[in-house]
Amino acid sequence: MDRYRVCEDLEALDMERGRLYETITVTWDESMKGNAAPIGVLCTGKRSVTLYLYHGTHTLQNILETGRFTANITLDPLLFTESALADLDDEMFSQHQDYLYLKGADAFFTAEVESVREVVKRDRFRESPVSIVRAGVREVMKGDGFRIALNRGIYAVIESLIEYTRAEISDPVKVMERVREMNRVARKVGGPQEKEAMKRIIEELESKVNHRKSPGQ
Amino acid sequence: MDRYRVCEDLEALDMERGRLYETITVTWDESMKGNAAPIGVLCTGKRSVTLYLYHGTHTLQNILETGRFTANITLDPLLFTESALADLDDEMFSQHQDYLYLKGADAFFTAEVESVREVVKRDRFRESPVSIVRAGVREVMKGDGFRIALNRGIYAVIESLIEYTRAEISDPVKVMERVREMNRVARKVGGPQEKEAMKRIIEELESKVNHRKSPGQ
């Protein structure tokens, strides 16, 4: 059995306002049939989160039906992968009060929907209807094995630094393209430190590229 | 002051054999002038690591001079960035016995070089001489704030899953290219779980792409 300690709020999981965390979100239909999917959860306060959900998913359908979900914290790549590519077996879920959660999660929190708003999201590829789900955090359950809630911000910075060190030997246009993509990730999911780090890297890269281009060189 | 607990070996930092961790490696010259740089450290056992160092860096020069270094664990994006782009000020380093380490590191370990071997590394861009530095771990110091040692494996998996969900709306060739790049990362830095996850994702993507191409569709 997993052992969890009830915690005050999301601070107990080092989750900070304005950062987006990679979770496996568990939902269920009215017959308590569970569903799991990797979902980014934006922390908007100590006891509140926002989800951006594409239409046509079980996650959204279930959330609209029950008004509830759990966000599950794990570092297990196979759990992320299986919940993205396939339906998890029923035995992968456990029940806590009226909520299902992922068996073996490092931590999880229960949440109740407070509002759902429909918007249209435009990206490079197309326009898609998206539901913005605001939810209140009910109970935060922290397991012994909890380390961190995954945030892609630090990785965007590390990837950019790796690109930076390649700048002298590879195509500067490609390097800049990749770093700008990582900047979008950092701005979307990261905190002030990641944003500041990316700003520094881009400034440095630009001066490197301009320096190389300058006629005196 | 930072508070550290002396630990038995790299297991105390959840570091596993075969995985490569993103550290800030601190070295110094004979006058104890410190240098810091983001360096991937391959864990090769409970008390051993391997570094792959490009020539012409202070890190390699100092390691050849003193035969010692510390690998510093942090999640701070600004520390990674500053140590990559600039020289850290002297006050950023602290001394532990004959070793310098990064002030404020979540954890660090001291290491002594056991062998250095020269090889030529070929990548997409060019051939570069690389020194393979094998080192023995001396002391492992774990701070109160320690969470994890950064490993890019789980992020390669998450990025690939994000690409996977885009596969239906974006250019499948680009998606596959990006996932294969992430597969290279996972194979280089990850453990068996990340490698298995990437295998699953690529299989699923390939069947999706082939399915779409098949004449019956």
Side-chain angles (χ1 to χ4, degrees), chain A residues 163-176 203-217, chain B residues 125-126:
Chain A
E163 290 292 335
Y164 173 84
T165 61
R166 280 183 194 154
E168 304 212 334
I169 52 169
S170 70
D171 180 355
V173 176
K174 280 206 170 166
V175 167
M176 201 50 125
E203 279 169 7
E204 204 70 32
L205 256 180
E206 277 171 350
S207 88
K208 220 175 186 174
V209 170
N210 291 336
H211 190 66
R212 217 201 290 187
K213 274 194 206 146
S214 76
Q217 298 299 308
Chain B
F125 307 115
R126 63 172 180 185

Side-chain angles (χ1 to χ4, degrees), chain B residues 135-165:
Chain B
V137 172
R138 293 294 164 258
E139 271 196 312
V140 178
M141 309 292 282
K142 187 176 177 177
D144 296 334
F146 174 79
R147 297 284 180 276
I148 56 162
L150 273 181
N151 178 277
R152 286 157 67 218
I154 180 69
Y155 288 86
V157 172
I158 300 265
E159 293 294 334
S160 301
L161 289 172
I162 292 170
E163 291 292 336
Y164 173 84
T165 60

Side-chain angles (χ1 to χ4, degrees), chain A residues 20 40 47 63 68 77 98 100 139 155 159 169 172 205 213:
Chain A
L20 188 138
R47 302 188 66 84
I63 279 182
R68 291 175 172 182
D98 298 336
L100 291 187
E139 272 195 312
Y155 288 86
E159 293 294 333
I169 52 169
L205 256 180
K213 274 194 206 146

Side-chain angles (χ1 to χ4, degrees), chain A residues 86-103:
Chain A
D87 290 334
L88 293 190
D89 291 340
D90 290 344
E91 75 231 28
M92 297 293 285
F93 301 102
S94 282
Q95 192 158 353
H96 172 71
Q97 297 169 359
D98 298 336
Y99 294 81
L100 291 187
Y101 69 94
L102 205 58
K103 214 174 269 182

